[in-house]
Amino acid sequence: IFERIQTMDDVSQAILKVEFEGIFKDEKQKNRIVNLVYNALENAKVQEWFAPKWKVLNERSILAWDSEDNIAPIRPDRVITDGTQIILIDYKTGRHEDNHIKQMLKYIKHLKQFYTKDIKAYLWYVTNNEIIPV
């Protein structure tokens, strides 16, 4: 659902699209997920990320080089910019894992090769609405 949201105004439409695609197995699951989405979006920091001032890139591949100098795309969940800064956000629904931070550090490293702007990154554990700066 979050990958379909540019601004807060897109939430209900994103939910309808997901429902139309048959993602929810039943009404109970739909209600649980919709409540989770709306509760998560009540967080002030999250609301800032979904403000209309940002240029939003959801689920866009960024070409990067791996350790053997081969092109290997990386794909952060959400990249937003206002022209002066870049913010990377990766959504997580499970528990904290060390590889989540490693993944974000990789995103930052590769973006710094192309951009001199200030880059911030956050892991957003949606289920418990916890935001961890990286």
Side-chain angles (χ1 to χ4, degrees):
I1 292 172
F2 292 115
E3 79 179 57
R4 299 171 187 277
I5 301 171
Q6 299 281 318
T7 69
M8 296 295 282
D9 293 337
D10 302 327
V11 176
S12 60
Q13 190 65 31
I15 292 168
L16 285 174
K17 284 180 182 177
V18 168
E19 183 176 23
F20 180 75
E21 292 171 2
I23 301 297
F24 305 123
K25 70 178 183 179
D26 57 31
E27 195 67 23
K28 182 179 177 183
Q29 182 192 49
K30 174 190 167 192
N31 290 337
R32 199 175 89 210
I33 292 171
V34 167
N35 286 335
L36 175 71
V37 168
Y38 279 109
N39 287 337
L41 291 170
E42 288 179 7
N43 184 307
K45 182 93 163 161
V46 172
Q47 287 180 6
E48 173 65 21
W49 294 339
F50 289 89
K53 74 176 190 175
W54 301 104
K55 176 179 166 97
V56 179
L57 303 168
N58 284 332
E59 297 286 336
R60 299 278 179 92
S61 292
I62 300 167
L63 296 181
W65 287 264
D66 65 16
S67 59
E68 297 171 7
D69 217 21
N70 297 312
I71 294 177
I74 57 174
R75 186 175 264 219
D77 291 332
R78 184 176 183 91
V79 178
I80 57 177
T81 184
D82 63 1
T84 61
Q85 65 178 322
I86 294 172
I87 299 176
L88 298 166
I89 302 131
D90 222 43
Y91 318 128
K92 302 297 180 192
T93 55
R95 58 190 161 98
H96 295 233
E97 294 183 24
D98 290 340
N99 67 334
H100 295 165
I101 291 178
K102 289 177 186 172
Q103 177 186 34
M104 292 300 281
L105 291 172
K106 179 179 174 183
Y107 294 164
I108 294 166
K109 174 186 167 191
H110 288 293
L111 281 177
K112 283 188 175 187
Q113 293 175 357
F114 302 103
Y115 298 101
T116 57
K117 296 173 176 50
D118 182 30
I119 299 175
K120 296 177 183 168
Y122 299 91
L123 287 166
W124 179 25
Y125 291 89
V126 178
T127 308
N128 61 359
N129 210 0
E130 182 181 5
I131 297 169
I132 297 176
V134 179

